[in-house]
Amino acid sequence: MCCALATRLRPAQIQQKVRSICILNNGHILRNLQASREGRQIENTMSHDRAMAASHQRIHSIDLLRGLVILLMAWDHVRDSFTAYGYDPLDLSQTDAVYFASRWITHFCAPVFVFLSGVSASLHRDAKSLGRAELARFLLTRGAWLIAIEATLISFSWSFDLDLIVFQVLFALGAGMMLLAGAVYLPRLLVAALGIAIVAGHNLLDPINAETFGSFGWIWSLLHELGYYSWRESGLFSGLFVAYPVVPWFGLMAIGYALAPWLRHSLSDNKRIVFWAGCGVTLAFLIVRGINGYGDPEPWTVQDRGAVFTFMSFLNTDKYPPSLVFLLMTMGPALMLMPWLEQWTGAAARLTRLFGRTPFFFYILHMPLIHGAAILKAQWVRSRHAGFDPGNPLTWPDWYSAPLFHSLIVWLLVLALLYPLCRWFDGYRRRKAHWWLSYL
């Protein structure tokens, strides 16, 4: 903003300087006028360079944190498609500690994505020197674009048909951005208060069920309740599954938007305060979860299988929709990690940052790749064992096994296949200035 203001003022200053030179040194008017013009050209060039540098400046830890959750997200989808245990990894009556951890660690993905989307909206406004109306327009159009991609390309990737619309993280991001488009007209302090109030208070809405609203229950599911709706038996867009109701996710996004200036300043000048803020959020999780009352619909319980499983029960918080305890549990460690990520360098950091710079591109490619590979595997098993259904353990042959180690190999292969594509896209976006690239 300051650079833009200086650019607008500079021509008038030069004109005033030229007039002064004319009065004081009448014999040197032409020479000084030419020098002023050359000076203006140099200053305009420097101003342009500074603006370009500002527009491309990124916070190192944000790209790395986003890259880490991209890796975890891919692991979650690979594990879900290729590990054959026959039960939910969070089912404490059947799971083990390793299988539980392989799912629990991926809980960090969606909250970090949504929080950083709010931060990025604020940074985008500053980098492009956008007014509130321009930012609101961008958020509305990008939000609508994400919802459209979720309802078509991503929903298709889950089942390779369009019978069922699946609203997951892209819906939460898109709908959250559209709501944030209205919130940007409010003072940041008020946006922060709104976000905190939603995150802290939305569990008060838990007793309200979609059935209360009859045929309009699907609207309540879009806002606050996991739900499945079918308008006809089969066919194009015949059903809707809402896994990510928007209200709590919007609250988290609003907090990210409001805290962006503080986060940017703190990560450059006082990283320790970000770490201690994360510690405070984690402490709030331990207190609220320990009280075992408000904050999550599923209280933790002492488990017959021992202390480890009791601890797992303590961590087994509700994601659909994300409870207050769930968001405290995930965002505290994420904030604590950011100062360390600012110092992370080397080959692994460069790889992680690449995926963090191309999250949407990675997302739209990884789902059909993983699902297509899972179908090929199922067809191969079915060719050797008639009636095999990967979703029904009763149909599995005795020799069929798919432990976590197999999923780890597939996960590494997926990353290896997507790395060159993401690297190409990141380079293309750096070289080009097409407006539509900001939507990818």
Side-chain angles (χ1 to χ4, degrees):
M1 183 175 180
C2 293
C3 291
L5 181 60
T7 303
R8 290 198 296 269
L9 292 178
R10 196 172 290 119
Q13 293 171 339
I14 292 174
Q15 291 171 11
Q16 183 179 0
K17 181 178 179 181
V18 170
R19 286 195 294 270
S20 300
I21 293 172
C22 290
I23 295 172
L24 296 174
N25 300 289
N26 191 48
H28 303 281
I29 294 176
L30 294 177
R31 185 177 63 191
N32 284 283
L33 178 59
Q34 182 179 4
S36 297
R37 287 173 176 170
E38 291 174 354
R40 179 169 59 187
Q41 291 174 352
I42 293 172
E43 290 185 16
N44 285 341
T45 300
M46 293 175 64
S47 176
H48 174 73
D49 291 343
R50 285 193 296 268
M52 289 296 291
S55 67
H56 292 290
Q57 185 180 7
R58 302 174 72 100
I59 299 178
H60 187 64
S61 58
I62 287 181
D63 286 335
L64 285 171
L65 185 58
R66 190 185 286 118
L68 286 174
V69 296
I70 279 285
L71 297 176
L72 289 176
M73 176 199 67
W75 162 252
D76 189 34
H77 294 157
V78 168
R79 189 213 69 252
D80 194 46
S81 299
F82 283 87
T83 301
Y85 277 31
Y87 52 83
D88 185 347
L90 300 180
D91 182 355
L92 298 182
S93 66
Q94 301 184 78
T95 192
D96 57 59
V98 174
Y99 195 36
F100 176 90
S102 74
R103 167 57 176 158
W104 180 85
I105 192 66
T106 66
H107 282 341
F108 289 87
C109 298
V112 169
F113 268 133
V114 173
F115 176 79
L116 292 184
S117 292
V119 174
S120 297
S122 178
L123 298 181
H124 179 77
R125 174 184 178 180
D126 295 339
K128 302 293 185 181
S129 299
L130 301 180
R132 290 182 177 180
E134 293 173 304
L135 178 61
R137 190 180 309 114
F138 171 76
L139 290 172
L140 280 172
T141 53
R142 191 165 196 265
W145 161 250
L146 291 177
I147 293 174
I149 291 297
E150 182 83 291
T152 54
L153 180 61
I154 302 303
S155 292
F156 177 79
S157 298
W158 285 108
S159 58
F160 288 153
D161 63 50
L162 285 174
D163 290 356
L164 181 66
I165 301 173
V166 182
F167 276 170
Q168 297 197 92
V169 67
L170 288 190
F171 167 75
L173 290 169
M177 287 179 183
M178 297 179 78
L179 293 174
L180 188 61
V184 298
Y185 290 96
L186 302 174
R188 282 189 188 269
L189 188 60
L190 189 56
V191 176
L194 175 64
I196 292 171
I198 291 174
V199 168
H202 81 90
N203 284 116
L204 294 172
L205 303 175
D206 290 347
I208 303 175
N209 296 317
E211 290 80 5
T212 305
F213 303 96
S215 60
F216 296 99
W218 62 275
I219 298 178
W220 181 247
S221 285
L222 293 177
L223 296 174
H224 196 260
E225 185 180 338
L226 184 78
Y228 169 76
Y229 301 88
S230 179
W231 292 284
R232 55 185 182 276
E233 194 168 320
S234 63
L236 186 66
F237 300 139
S238 57
L240 171 67
F241 175 59
V242 181
Y244 282 63
V246 68
V247 168
W249 296 114
F250 165 67
L252 183 60
M253 184 180 291
I255 294 173
Y257 174 82
L259 293 184
W262 168 82
L263 190 63
R264 184 171 197 169
H265 172 76
S266 299
L267 286 172
S268 61
D269 296 336
N270 190 5
K271 299 179 180 64
R272 189 173 298 178
I273 195 173
V274 179
F275 173 81
W276 286 113
C279 290
V281 174
T282 301
L283 179 62
F285 158 69
L286 294 174
I287 293 172
V288 177
R289 186 59 166 165
I291 293 173
N292 215 20
Y294 176 79
D296 195 272
E298 294 294 332
W300 64 274
T301 59
V302 176
Q303 299 291 305
D304 295 336
R305 300 178 69 184
V308 171
F309 284 85
T310 297
F311 179 65
M312 289 159 59
S313 175
F314 190 85
L315 297 179
N316 195 16
T317 57
D318 194 14
K319 181 183 178 181
Y320 304 107
S323 67
L324 166 63
V325 170
F326 176 89
L327 294 176
L328 292 174
M329 177 183 72
T330 51
M331 288 311 305
L335 289 173
M336 293 166 64
L337 188 61
M338 291 188 76
W340 178 79
L341 291 177
E342 282 290 314
Q343 313 300 323
W344 189 24
T345 59
R350 289 193 297 270
L351 174 68
T352 304
R353 193 180 187 200
L354 173 66
F355 290 135
R357 291 177 61 91
T358 56
F360 181 73
F361 185 76
F362 183 101
Y363 189 85
I364 61 176
L365 292 180
H366 92 290
M367 276 310 307
L369 175 61
I370 293 172
H371 184 211
I375 288 178
L376 291 177
K377 174 192 172 184
Q379 292 292 349
W380 177 81
V381 176
R382 194 173 288 118
S383 69
R384 302 179 63 189
H385 183 81
F388 170 75
D389 179 0
N392 183 3
L394 296 177
T395 67
W396 296 352
D398 294 337
W399 52 264
Y400 180 68
S401 174
L404 284 175
F405 178 71
H406 291 181
S407 295
L408 179 63
I409 295 173
V410 176
W411 176 64
L412 293 174
L413 289 174
V414 167
L415 298 182
L417 289 172
L418 292 181
Y419 170 76
L421 297 176
C422 290
R423 185 176 180 180
W424 166 83
F425 179 72
D426 184 52
Y428 179 83
R429 190 165 57 180
R430 287 170 179 264
R431 294 189 303 270
K432 305 296 182 180
H434 302 308
W435 64 268
W436 50 269
L437 287 173
S438 61
Y439 288 79
L440 297 178

